[in-house]
């Protein structure tokens, strides 16, 4: 079992920044792919970013603004979000899987989500 707990969400002004954290516990492994997804009200959950080893992948709408990183010693993955837009408003979910893919079915473990709200 792997447990994931997100934190760091909140309310921010347009153009502001937030850093999300995802703490993993249980049967964790540095070999897991760690990813971030988001879901806005009434919308499908969509891929944001993922990392595995030295490889990183980003959705087009966050390239140049968001950065994913991980600290294996702390079993924690981060999502640094800069230049936030109103359209970024969503619940952000941390996920762990075995393959660096953008589809949500590729991730077996999920956190409960943390709300990010960007005011316009």
């Amino acid at each position: 079992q792997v447990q994931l707990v997100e934190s760091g969400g909140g309310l921010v002004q347009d153009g502001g920044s937030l850093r999300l954290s995802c703490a993993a516990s249980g049967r964790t492994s540095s070999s897991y792919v760690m990813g971030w997804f988001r879901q806005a009200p009434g919308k499908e959950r969509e891929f944001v970013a993922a990392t595995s080893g030295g490889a990183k992948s980003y959705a087009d709408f966050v390239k140049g603004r968001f950065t994913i990183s991980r600290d294996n010693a702390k079993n924690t993955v981060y999502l640094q979000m800069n230049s936030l837009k109103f359209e970024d408003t969503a619940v952000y979910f941390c996920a762990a899987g075995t393959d660096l893919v953008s589809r949500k079915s590729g991730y077996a473990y999920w956190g409960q989500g943390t709300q990010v709200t960007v005011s316009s």
Side-chain angles (χ1 to χ4, degrees), residues 1-90:
Q1 300 179 27
V2 176
Q3 295 80 46
L4 305 174
V5 180
E6 304 96 332
S7 62
L11 176 65
V12 65
Q13 295 271 346
D14 179 73
S17 299
L18 286 173
R19 188 182 74 163
L20 306 183
S21 299
C22 173
S25 61
R27 301 181 67 179
T28 58
S29 172
S30 61
S31 66
Y32 279 129
V33 174
M34 300 299 298
W36 289 94
F37 289 73
R38 70 186 188 185
Q39 187 167 19
K43 304 294 184 180
E44 296 289 332
R45 190 171 300 185
E46 63 182 351
F47 173 78
V48 176
T51 182
S52 179
K56 297 180 180 180
S57 181
Y58 296 95
D60 288 340
F61 56 81
V62 303
K63 287 183 178 178
R65 299 190 298 124
F66 292 8
T67 303
I68 189 170
S69 62
R70 67 194 301 173
D71 186 338
N72 289 328
K74 296 182 178 180
N75 293 320
T76 302
V77 63
Y78 305 94
L79 184 68
Q80 178 67 46
M81 305 185 295
N82 299 324
S83 302
L84 283 162
K85 308 172 182 178
F86 174 76
E87 307 93 88
D88 296 317
T89 297

